[in-house]
Amino acid sequence: MTTLSIFQQNQPQAAHTVTTDPQVIRDTLASQGVRFEQWPTRELPASATQEQILEAYADEVERLKQECGFQTADVVSLTANHPDKDAFRQKFLDEHTHSEDEVRFFVRGQGLFYLHFGEQVYALMCEKNDLISVPDGTRHWFDMGPEPEFTCIRLFTNPEGWVASFTGEEIASTLPRYEALAGVA
């Protein structure tokens, strides 16, 4: 279930706010400049290719390209049996920023985006049909869990794709990880 948890930076293990209401999630994230949408379901086989996935969501992807100036879209997928899953997880677990919006639409599976705003950290468990657009310059990190299972459409303004600037902050290691927040509502 799509879930937003809000933690206080100085008490990351303490009680925190949790909501699963899509409108509350949308409004709460919008107040921080984060775009959150839920797109209609498209039934695709598990073996769908990048081309088939992009074709199924062509209207939505084109709308975002026109609206936001994105130049490219691709599909990223990771499964629990991928031999480099641990290395990929570790790569995204450190707080970082980008010089462009980070946009992900979950075609299947789920993943946890952490967004750091001042003294609060918003943890958004995204799942199938969720779109998140993290504004450029926003401090954040991503946790796919120890057994990742997701496929996402990514949109970029920079043709080079994912380029991160790591903050060097340790905050990501102080908050509950995917394992603790998966299924929390």
Side-chain angles (χ1 to χ4, degrees):
M1 175 176 300
T2 304
T3 306
L4 177 64
S5 303
I6 302 175
F7 297 89
Q8 296 303 315
Q9 176 180 320
N10 59 352
Q11 297 178 325
Q13 302 297 328
H16 55 279
T17 304
V18 178
T19 184
T20 59
D21 182 312
Q23 188 61 51
V24 172
I25 292 171
R26 185 176 299 110
D27 293 346
T28 302
L29 293 174
S31 73
Q32 298 293 339
V34 176
R35 181 181 198 146
F36 174 77
E37 297 177 1
Q38 292 182 312
W39 290 358
T41 299
R42 306 284 194 275
E43 293 305 322
L44 294 166
S47 62
T49 65
Q50 173 171 291
E51 292 76 20
Q52 291 169 320
I53 292 169
L54 290 173
E55 177 61 31
Y57 291 96
D59 291 343
E60 290 89 348
V61 169
E62 186 58 32
R63 175 179 56 86
L64 284 180
K65 283 182 171 182
Q66 294 297 315
E67 185 180 324
C68 303
F70 297 115
Q71 301 298 309
T72 61
D74 69 6
V75 176
V76 63
S77 187
L78 200 62
T79 62
N81 61 2
H82 193 286
D84 296 324
K85 68 181 180 185
D86 294 334
F88 281 124
R89 183 183 191 198
Q90 196 57 47
K91 175 181 178 180
F92 302 121
L93 275 177
D94 289 328
E95 185 181 70
H96 59 275
T97 64
H98 302 285
S99 61
E100 67 175 305
D101 295 356
E102 180 168 347
V103 181
R104 299 293 180 269
F105 171 70
F106 284 78
V107 174
R108 70 170 186 85
Q110 65 182 24
L112 185 58
F113 274 91
Y114 294 83
L115 311 163
H116 187 181
F117 301 111
E119 298 299 313
Q120 294 183 318
V121 175
Y122 292 30
L124 180 65
M125 180 65 74
C126 292
E127 57 183 29
K128 182 179 180 178
N129 301 331
D130 289 346
L131 171 112
I132 183 171
S133 180
V134 180
D136 67 344
T138 300
R139 294 167 28 168
H140 69 282
W141 61 97
F142 178 72
D143 190 352
M144 62 188 73
E147 300 296 322
E149 288 290 340
F150 68 88
T151 299
C152 289
I153 295 174
R154 308 183 300 175
L155 290 104
F156 299 101
T157 53
N158 179 350
E160 294 176 27
W162 193 87
V163 179
S165 295
F166 292 92
T167 67
E169 298 291 327
E170 297 292 324
I171 188 164
S173 65
T174 69
L175 276 105
R177 292 256 165 102
Y178 178 98
E179 300 87 330
L181 296 180
V184 173

